[in-house]
Amino acid sequence: MSQRSSPMIVSAFKIIGASLLAVALIWALVLGWWQGNDHTPSTTELFLYLGALPLAIVGGYALLRGFIEHLKAPAASQTSAPSDSVDPLANGATQTAEIERGFTINLIGAFAISGSGDGPSDMLAAQATGVRPTPDNSLLDDAGFPIFTARIDALDTDDIGESLAQHDASLAEDIGRSEHLRMLALVDLILPAGIAQAQEALSQCTAISRLNLVWLIPPGIDAALFPRLQSWLESHYLAAFEPTQRALSLRAAANESDVMAHIDRMVLDAAGTSNDALTMVLAAASSIGSRTAASWSGRQGLFSADRQSGQIPGECGVCLLFGNPDSSDTSVQLTRVSAAEREKSVDAGGRISGALIEQLIAGLLAVHRVAPADIKAVVSDADHRQSRVGELLDALGETFTELDPLADCPCIGAACGATPPFGALLALACAHEHALSLAQPVLCISQQHPTARSAVLLRPMPLVAGGMPPAV
């Protein structure tokens, strides 16, 4: 017999001996109790007390001991890491060449509006001072109570409705629901500022000769309306551009993952083309309307006094301008999007792990050779829900110990509500503002979606040797 098998045999004898001793003790106690009470047991009692009871106690002890040993086992003993902790950029199925992973584009302008402010700086200030959505008396839940919303009070849907009807009466009728009219009113508020900066860049930089405008359309709008919406936008906002100076395309955006994939593709495509064009990304969406409120309430996803984990309807308009103009005082270098999907929804309950976001961040910093200590802020589209906030804090963990979770990690959604699918773009506009004001690298995290997660790095221009901006 080998020396290795001897301890196993000894251990087996100990377990068997202890089990027999326990059974004997139980039998002695049961028989003693019956004798002391002058009780004659039935066949069923003999089976239960002398058979099933000893087996249940011995089996229960074995299970309890195994559970305790499992808890005592170190985490390093696991044969494989949870799927959420696997670095998607290191996975063979999604790995790209390092040179492509290092592509960047310049974000030279970021304009945004939401219920918490008329610009990124206002939104950051509102979030920092604790501004939060309030009850909306124009929208009531099934019990007759006002629904919390982050409404833009200045939004004029009547004016945009008249403008739309004058251009295309049937289009105004086909748009239908109020959420879509509010979306067009948001476009009317945010697009002129972006157009003005694009015109200035075109006039100042002779190397830039063209504007490519990409309008991302939220779910719920029939794709058959896209050509008519394109005609409306061209006639109202792009008339100052010569036909050869501009191009407009409308693209459906199903969810946050789809939106960030558009941004990533734009960065990737820009690396292989000339720098003679500006690219503008326009996005607007409103969740404030009776249909959205009824839909969210029906799936138990609407915030209320007794459902704190629900979402609060919001609305936003975002206009991002990308290019390489001569003037770089408002330019921020934007990396490709590092994105992946959680295997389990963050709303599924249980312990919330930020391992996936942590790995996305680590991959970004490694590719661009940025130390965690150089990151001065992390802007997220997370809202009031503890699931999102807990996930973000777990992801930052001990790596970003110098960041103040309240001052340096603004969660934009807490102030502006839920603005699917464009919450990530709203956070991106705020991250652009933060990177410029701090003159330091900033991370932007998208985590509104139940499973889709993404991260991008923003660094103010110009960069000096080593990839870092100059000290201020």
Side-chain angles (χ1 to χ4, degrees):
M1 184 179 297
S2 65
Q3 294 180 351
R4 180 178 297 179
S5 60
S6 297
M8 297 178 61
I9 295 177
V10 173
S11 178
F13 276 126
K14 287 183 178 179
I15 294 174
I16 294 173
S19 300
L20 292 175
L21 180 62
V23 170
L25 180 60
I26 294 171
W27 281 3
L29 292 173
V30 171
L31 293 173
W33 179 71
W34 283 341
Q35 185 177 9
N37 290 276
D38 196 21
H39 175 71
T40 301
S42 64
T43 303
T44 301
E45 289 177 321
L46 288 172
F47 172 75
L48 288 176
Y49 289 99
L50 299 184
L53 180 61
L55 290 176
I57 292 178
V58 172
Y61 169 76
L63 289 175
L64 179 60
R65 180 177 179 181
F67 178 70
I68 293 174
E69 291 297 329
H70 173 72
L71 293 179
K72 291 167 62 179
S77 66
Q78 296 179 357
T79 57
S80 62
S83 58
D84 278 357
S85 68
V86 177
D87 182 358
L89 295 179
N91 189 303
T94 58
Q95 189 175 16
T96 57
E98 183 175 355
I99 187 171
E100 290 186 357
R101 291 171 61 188
F103 286 165
T104 61
I105 194 172
N106 286 352
L107 176 56
I108 62 176
F111 308 92
I113 186 171
S114 74
S116 63
D118 293 337
S121 58
D122 289 346
M123 284 182 266
L124 287 167
Q127 197 281 332
T129 55
V131 173
R132 296 296 180 264
T134 56
D136 190 334
N137 292 323
S138 64
L139 279 178
L140 304 179
D141 61 17
D142 296 337
F145 294 104
I147 294 172
F148 280 76
T149 68
R151 179 187 291 270
I152 301 175
D153 294 326
L155 214 56
D156 190 347
T157 55
D158 292 336
D159 185 59
I160 203 68
E162 293 177 4
S163 171
L164 200 62
Q166 291 175 1
H167 176 77
D168 187 338
S170 62
L171 176 61
E173 294 179 1
D174 293 338
I175 282 295
R177 49 193 294 187
S178 62
E179 291 93 330
H180 296 161
L181 270 180
R182 297 186 71 83
M183 176 201 75
L184 296 180
L186 287 162
V187 169
D188 184 64
L189 282 179
I190 199 66
L191 183 56
I195 292 293
Q197 184 172 359
Q199 288 178 313
E200 182 180 357
L202 286 169
S203 63
Q204 292 182 354
C205 185
T206 56
I208 302 175
S209 59
R210 186 177 180 82
L211 171 66
N212 296 323
L213 174 56
V214 179
W215 185 7
L216 300 180
I217 306 296
I221 296 182
D222 188 351
L225 300 179
F226 284 13
R228 295 155 68 188
L229 286 172
Q230 178 172 335
S231 173
W232 169 77
L233 190 136
E234 285 178 330
S235 64
H236 281 74
Y237 304 98
L238 301 181
F241 293 88
E242 296 293 334
T244 57
Q245 282 188 308
R246 46 109 172 139
L248 171 62
S249 61
L250 278 65
R251 302 177 186 174
N255 51 45
E256 289 83 350
S257 179
D258 200 17
V259 170
M260 296 310 286
H262 279 300
I263 298 297
D264 183 65
R265 174 54 58 181
M266 184 187 63
V267 179
L268 183 61
D269 291 344
T273 60
S274 61
N275 296 327
D276 63 345
L278 296 174
T279 299
M280 181 182 296
V281 176
L282 171 67
S286 176
S287 301
I288 298 179
S290 58
R291 293 190 185 181
T292 301
S295 174
W296 290 11
S297 179
R299 60 177 172 82
Q300 303 295 306
L302 184 66
F303 175 88
S304 64
D306 57 353
R307 194 181 301 124
Q308 300 289 315
S309 61
Q311 291 179 286
I312 298 175
E315 52 193 0
C316 74
V318 183
C319 190
L320 304 176
L321 187 61
F322 300 88
N324 293 287
D326 296 333
S327 174
S328 60
D329 56 339
T330 62
S331 183
V332 168
Q333 188 185 75
L334 178 72
T335 68
R336 289 192 64 189
V337 179
S338 181
E341 294 272 342
R342 289 177 58 96
E343 183 173 303
K344 184 180 75 170
S345 168
V346 74
D347 298 318
R351 181 183 179 275
I352 299 172
S353 170
L356 180 57
I357 295 179
E358 181 181 4
Q359 293 300 324
L360 293 176
I361 292 174
L364 267 179
L365 300 187
V367 168
H368 296 279
R369 297 178 176 85
V370 175
D374 295 327
I375 301 298
K376 301 306 177 184
V378 178
V379 181
S380 167
D381 63 356
D383 54 19
H384 67 284
R385 290 175 290 177
Q386 184 57 41
S387 58
R388 270 63 177 181
V389 177
E391 181 188 26
L392 180 64
L393 295 180
D394 186 69
L396 301 179
E398 298 179 357
T399 305
F400 298 91
T401 54
E402 296 182 0
L403 296 181
D404 184 331
L406 296 178
D408 302 325
C409 304
C411 296
I412 302 303
C416 69
T419 56
F422 301 129
L425 296 186
L426 196 62
L428 195 56
C430 292
H432 171 268
E433 174 67 25
H434 228 2
L436 289 176
S437 62
L438 296 174
Q440 296 290 341
V442 170
L443 284 167
C444 181
I445 308 298
S446 173
Q447 54 176 139
Q448 274 284 347
H449 192 270
T451 58
R453 297 293 177 266
S454 63
V456 292
L457 174 66
L458 299 93
R459 293 180 290 177
M461 296 290 286
L463 300 179
V464 296
M468 291 301 299
V472 295

